[in-house]
Amino acid sequence: MKASHVRKLIKPIESAYSEMFSGRVYRVGKGAVSVRNHSGKAEQTVIGVHGFLENHCYFTQAYEAPTTELILLTCSNYHIPVNGVTPEAPDWEVPIKHLEGTIEYDACILNQALSSLPTTDNIRVHGHSRGGAVILEAIKQWPDLYEDVEVVLEAPVLPDGRLSALVTTILEPVSHGMWPWLIRLINSAPSSAYGQTFFGKMNPRKKQLLSKLFSATKDHLTIVRNIENIMDWMARTDTSVYSHVRHGTFLIPAVDRILDRSSMLASARQSPTTMRIVETEAPSHFITLDSKEWVPGFETLPAAAQG
């Protein structure tokens, strides 16, 4: 990448979205892990991994039970979407050798959180879109850690997957130097101009979370690196990674204008029978935001099933 392009791309992007948060926030490398306070005795632990240009608030309303210990990742070089909490340095943090802004880097953040934070044995790791790839990469890096963990891959980036034809058409002519200009253009347009096309039917929560997408990262370079790395990861990652997943669900939307649904489904079908495929009626890539009814209940968790 040309130095002049990099200079344009590393210009900071101001944080534009946050919510009140009660809990602790740990800085891990260039990312973070937030642990929400829960009022009841924790019966299950959920770790949420957000998607490209999203933030951890994607999961907060889907897992509101007072007995759910909710742990939320903030991927590398993304803004932490919390108010009123000072991030702290955890004693369990280990340096990460991968390039920040990549699936590989964020997988290391996930593995550090999973190996250090849950206080229950009933664990689900739920990833949306790019977050699905982060989970699979994390499993590849440390398979034994996931032996008794349930995985939910929602509209996920998968091995042998593709971006939707619509997204590919838009991205093809965009050079690195055009990114800052393109993002300024998108940010100045009302989200209604493109929202319905990519996001499907809107509701108040979708509108709240998706209208600030292009302010999620700390700079434009992270956006470019995320996209290039997603495409590269899908091309070079083998479906054999599924053999390490013991318990889990693929949630596939009825309509997806972000990722290519047919390649997602074909990839999911390469997995062993322990992973179930649920073809939801969700009208967009954002299944959980369309309706919480598609989020599996906790009776599917390995420990619950054994009990």
Side-chain angles (χ1 to χ4, degrees):
M1 205 184 296
K2 284 184 192 163
S4 61
H5 291 166
V6 171
R7 272 199 304 278
K8 275 188 210 145
L9 292 171
I10 56 176
K11 204 167 155 233
I13 296 174
E14 290 300 310
S15 173
Y17 188 84
S18 63
E19 292 184 5
M20 282 307 294
F21 181 80
S22 170
R24 300 179 79 169
V25 179
Y26 301 101
R27 276 199 191 286
V28 182
K30 296 287 185 180
V33 180
S34 305
V35 184
R36 188 180 69 186
N37 290 337
H38 47 92
S39 52
K41 183 184 185 303
E43 290 174 9
Q44 60 272 324
T45 301
V46 175
I47 303 181
V49 187
H50 67 79
F52 173 56
L53 297 185
E54 296 168 8
N55 65 54
H56 79 207
C57 301
Y58 188 88
F59 300 100
T60 50
Q61 292 190 1
Y63 294 107
E64 291 183 301
T67 52
T68 298
E69 174 179 57
L70 186 61
I71 299 170
L72 298 160
L73 242 69
T74 292
C75 290
S76 49
N77 296 336
Y78 275 66
H79 292 294
I80 308 169
V82 301
N83 292 331
V85 184
T86 306
E88 51 191 288
D91 53 11
W92 41 264
E93 182 190 4
V94 179
I96 297 171
K97 63 181 188 294
H98 296 282
L99 181 67
E100 61 210 53
T102 61
I103 288 164
E104 291 81 358
Y105 189 104
D106 297 334
C108 292
I109 301 176
L110 172 58
N111 282 341
Q112 290 186 43
L114 177 57
S115 60
S116 310
L117 290 171
T119 62
T120 80
D121 295 327
N122 229 359
I123 302 170
R124 164 181 295 170
V125 184
H126 181 163
H128 175 243
S129 195
R130 178 181 182 272
V134 170
I135 292 170
L136 290 172
E137 179 62 33
I139 293 170
K140 198 167 114 191
Q141 289 180 11
W142 194 346
D144 294 353
L145 190 57
Y146 292 81
E147 190 67 39
D148 296 312
V149 170
E150 186 208 29
V151 168
V152 175
L153 302 177
E154 175 192 342
V157 166
L158 295 176
D160 296 337
R162 293 191 302 274
L163 302 177
S164 76
L166 191 61
V167 171
T168 306
T169 304
I170 290 166
L171 290 182
E172 261 170 8
V174 179
S175 69
H176 289 126
M178 287 168 69
W179 271 105
W181 176 82
L182 181 68
I183 289 160
R184 274 198 298 274
L185 184 70
I186 292 167
N187 279 341
S188 64
S191 58
S192 56
Y194 56 84
Q196 197 82 11
T197 306
F198 292 102
F199 308 153
K201 193 170 184 297
M202 295 303 268
N203 58 42
R205 186 62 174 160
K206 275 175 96 168
K207 206 169 282 183
Q208 202 180 11
L209 289 180
L210 302 181
S211 63
K212 296 283 188 278
L213 280 182
F214 285 92
S215 308
T217 61
K218 292 181 177 179
D219 54 43
H220 296 106
L221 183 61
T222 303
I223 297 176
V224 178
R225 192 173 281 163
N226 274 189
I227 290 174
E228 291 182 340
N229 176 248
I230 285 168
M231 295 193 289
D232 179 50
W233 186 91
M234 288 192 293
R236 67 183 154 76
T237 305
D238 197 81
T239 54
S240 62
V241 67
Y242 297 138
S243 63
H244 299 300
V245 184
R246 297 278 172 269
H247 321 269
T249 305
F250 292 97
L251 293 177
I252 310 290
V255 176
D256 199 323
R257 300 262 169 76
I258 308 289
L259 295 175
D260 176 66
R261 186 183 180 277
S262 61
S263 66
M264 195 193 306
L265 209 44
S267 179
R269 286 179 178 142
Q270 299 299 309
S271 70
T273 51
T274 47
M275 286 284 282
R276 60 187 186 133
I277 298 171
V278 177
E279 292 188 55
T280 70
E281 290 164 28
S284 82
H285 182 67
F286 306 91
I287 300 173
T288 293
L289 300 185
D290 283 325
S291 175
K292 289 185 278 195
E293 71 175 298
W294 301 113
V295 179
F298 289 125
E299 66 284 351
T300 59
L301 287 175
Q306 284 163 17

Short mmCIF file of all heavy atoms in Angstrom, two decimals, residues 7 16 24 31 51 66 119 124 181 188 195 204 219 233 235-236 240 250 263 275-276 293:
data_model
loop_
_atom_site.label_atom_id
_atom_site.label_comp_id
_atom_site.label_asym_id
_atom_site.label_seq_id
_atom_site.Cartn_x
_atom_site.Cartn_y
_atom_site.Cartn_z
N ARG A 7 -1.25 7.14 5.10
CA ARG A 7 -1.41 8.38 5.88
C ARG A 7 -2.87 8.81 5.93
O ARG A 7 -3.37 9.20 6.96
CB ARG A 7 -0.54 9.50 5.29
CG ARG A 7 0.88 9.52 5.86
CD ARG A 7 1.55 10.87 5.63
NE ARG A 7 1.59 11.26 4.23
CZ ARG A 7 2.50 10.81 3.36
NH1 ARG A 7 3.43 9.96 3.75
NH2 ARG A 7 2.48 11.21 2.10
N ALA A 16 -18.68 7.41 17.73
CA ALA A 16 -19.98 8.05 17.55
C ALA A 16 -21.11 7.29 18.26
O ALA A 16 -22.26 7.71 18.22
CB ALA A 16 -20.30 8.15 16.06
N ARG A 24 -17.07 -4.48 34.13
CA ARG A 24 -15.64 -4.18 34.03
C ARG A 24 -15.20 -4.29 32.58
O ARG A 24 -15.71 -5.13 31.83
CB ARG A 24 -14.84 -5.16 34.88
CG ARG A 24 -15.22 -5.10 36.35
CD ARG A 24 -14.43 -6.10 37.18
NE ARG A 24 -13.07 -5.60 37.47
CZ ARG A 24 -12.26 -6.17 38.34
NH1 ARG A 24 -12.62 -7.26 38.98
NH2 ARG A 24 -11.06 -5.67 38.57
N GLY A 31 -7.50 -4.50 21.46
CA GLY A 31 -8.93 -4.68 21.60
C GLY A 31 -9.34 -4.60 23.06
O GLY A 31 -8.59 -4.07 23.89
N GLY A 51 -19.53 -8.35 14.63
CA GLY A 51 -19.14 -8.43 13.23
C GLY A 51 -18.42 -7.18 12.74
O GLY A 51 -18.15 -6.24 13.50
N PRO A 66 -30.85 -12.12 34.11
CA PRO A 66 -29.97 -11.80 35.25
C PRO A 66 -29.02 -12.93 35.62
O PRO A 66 -28.05 -12.72 36.34
CB PRO A 66 -30.95 -11.51 36.39
CG PRO A 66 -32.24 -12.15 35.99
CD PRO A 66 -32.28 -12.13 34.49
N THR A 119 -17.09 -17.86 34.72
CA THR A 119 -17.20 -18.43 36.07
C THR A 119 -18.18 -19.60 36.10
O THR A 119 -18.44 -20.17 37.14
CB THR A 119 -17.66 -17.37 37.09
OG1 THR A 119 -18.97 -16.90 36.70
CG2 THR A 119 -16.69 -16.19 37.14
N ARG A 124 -21.40 -20.56 26.09
CA ARG A 124 -21.71 -20.36 24.66
C ARG A 124 -20.84 -19.23 24.13
O ARG A 124 -20.69 -18.20 24.78
CB ARG A 124 -23.18 -19.98 24.48
CG ARG A 124 -23.49 -19.38 23.09
CD ARG A 124 -24.94 -19.00 22.93
NE ARG A 124 -25.79 -20.19 22.97
CZ ARG A 124 -27.12 -20.15 23.05
NH1 ARG A 124 -27.75 -18.98 23.08
NH2 ARG A 124 -27.82 -21.26 23.07
N TRP A 181 -12.52 8.85 1.18
CA TRP A 181 -13.51 9.62 0.42
C TRP A 181 -14.85 8.88 0.40
O TRP A 181 -15.91 9.47 0.64
CB TRP A 181 -12.98 9.80 -1.01
CG TRP A 181 -13.94 10.49 -1.93
CD1 TRP A 181 -14.15 11.83 -2.04
CD2 TRP A 181 -14.83 9.85 -2.84
NE1 TRP A 181 -15.13 12.06 -2.98
CE2 TRP A 181 -15.56 10.87 -3.49
CE3 TRP A 181 -15.09 8.51 -3.18
CZ2 TRP A 181 -16.54 10.58 -4.45
CZ3 TRP A 181 -16.05 8.24 -4.14
CH2 TRP A 181 -16.76 9.26 -4.76
N SER A 188 -22.10 10.95 5.09
CA SER A 188 -22.88 12.17 4.87
C SER A 188 -24.26 11.87 4.28
O SER A 188 -25.15 12.70 4.31
CB SER A 188 -22.12 13.12 3.95
OG SER A 188 -21.96 12.53 2.66
N GLY A 195 -29.70 1.89 3.59
CA GLY A 195 -30.02 0.96 4.69
C GLY A 195 -30.92 -0.20 4.29
O GLY A 195 -30.59 -1.36 4.51
N PRO A 204 -36.45 -0.23 15.49
CA PRO A 204 -35.72 0.79 16.28
C PRO A 204 -34.30 0.36 16.68
O PRO A 204 -33.37 1.17 16.59
CB PRO A 204 -36.62 0.97 17.51
CG PRO A 204 -37.99 0.64 17.03
CD PRO A 204 -37.81 -0.45 16.02
N ASP A 219 -9.87 3.95 12.85
CA ASP A 219 -9.31 4.57 11.63
C ASP A 219 -9.80 3.81 10.39
O ASP A 219 -10.38 2.74 10.50
CB ASP A 219 -7.76 4.59 11.68
CG ASP A 219 -7.17 3.21 11.93
OD1 ASP A 219 -7.65 2.23 11.32
OD2 ASP A 219 -6.24 3.09 12.74
N TRP A 233 -9.09 -14.73 4.30
CA TRP A 233 -9.36 -15.81 5.27
C TRP A 233 -10.33 -16.84 4.67
O TRP A 233 -10.13 -18.05 4.80
CB TRP A 233 -9.89 -15.22 6.57
CG TRP A 233 -10.06 -16.23 7.68
CD1 TRP A 233 -9.14 -16.58 8.62
CD2 TRP A 233 -11.22 -17.04 7.95
NE1 TRP A 233 -9.65 -17.55 9.46
CE2 TRP A 233 -10.92 -17.85 9.07
CE3 TRP A 233 -12.48 -17.15 7.35
CZ2 TRP A 233 -11.84 -18.75 9.61
CZ3 TRP A 233 -13.40 -18.06 7.88
CH2 TRP A 233 -13.08 -18.84 8.99
N ALA A 235 -10.80 -17.56 1.60
CA ALA A 235 -10.17 -18.27 0.49
C ALA A 235 -9.16 -19.32 0.96
O ALA A 235 -9.02 -20.37 0.35
CB ALA A 235 -9.48 -17.27 -0.44
N ARG A 236 -8.47 -19.04 2.07
CA ARG A 236 -7.38 -19.96 2.46
C ARG A 236 -7.71 -20.86 3.65
O ARG A 236 -6.90 -21.70 4.02
CB ARG A 236 -6.10 -19.17 2.73
CG ARG A 236 -6.15 -18.28 3.93
CD ARG A 236 -4.87 -17.47 4.14
NE ARG A 236 -5.14 -16.24 4.87
CZ ARG A 236 -5.36 -16.20 6.18
NH1 ARG A 236 -5.33 -17.30 6.91
NH2 ARG A 236 -5.60 -15.05 6.79
N SER A 240 -12.04 -28.12 7.25
CA SER A 240 -11.64 -29.11 8.26
C SER A 240 -11.66 -28.51 9.67
O SER A 240 -11.70 -29.23 10.66
CB SER A 240 -10.24 -29.65 7.97
OG SER A 240 -9.29 -28.60 8.02
N PHE A 250 -25.40 -23.22 13.23
CA PHE A 250 -25.27 -22.18 12.20
C PHE A 250 -26.64 -21.53 12.07
O PHE A 250 -27.64 -22.24 11.84
CB PHE A 250 -24.93 -22.79 10.83
CG PHE A 250 -23.57 -23.43 10.72
CD1 PHE A 250 -23.40 -24.79 10.89
CD2 PHE A 250 -22.46 -22.65 10.41
CE1 PHE A 250 -22.16 -25.38 10.74
CE2 PHE A 250 -21.20 -23.24 10.27
CZ PHE A 250 -21.05 -24.61 10.44
N SER A 263 -23.08 -19.83 -0.67
CA SER A 263 -21.75 -20.35 -0.32
C SER A 263 -21.63 -20.57 1.19
O SER A 263 -20.94 -21.49 1.65
CB SER A 263 -20.63 -19.43 -0.83
OG SER A 263 -20.66 -18.18 -0.18
N MET A 275 -22.91 -30.14 14.46
CA MET A 275 -23.35 -28.76 14.22
C MET A 275 -24.68 -28.79 13.50
O MET A 275 -24.80 -29.40 12.45
CB MET A 275 -22.33 -28.03 13.32
CG MET A 275 -21.03 -27.64 13.99
SD MET A 275 -21.19 -26.21 15.07
CE MET A 275 -21.21 -24.84 13.91
N ARG A 276 -25.69 -28.12 14.05
CA ARG A 276 -26.97 -28.09 13.34
C ARG A 276 -27.07 -26.80 12.52
O ARG A 276 -26.49 -25.78 12.88
CB ARG A 276 -28.15 -28.23 14.30
CG ARG A 276 -28.25 -27.17 15.33
CD ARG A 276 -29.31 -27.45 16.38
NE ARG A 276 -29.40 -26.26 17.22
CZ ARG A 276 -30.53 -25.67 17.58
NH1 ARG A 276 -31.68 -26.17 17.20
NH2 ARG A 276 -30.52 -24.59 18.33
N GLU A 293 -36.07 -14.28 18.56
CA GLU A 293 -36.62 -15.66 18.55
C GLU A 293 -35.66 -16.66 17.92
O GLU A 293 -35.74 -17.86 18.18
CB GLU A 293 -37.97 -15.70 17.80
CG GLU A 293 -37.79 -15.51 16.30
CD GLU A 293 -39.09 -15.67 15.50
OE1 GLU A 293 -39.67 -16.76 15.52
OE2 GLU A 293 -39.49 -14.68 14.83
#
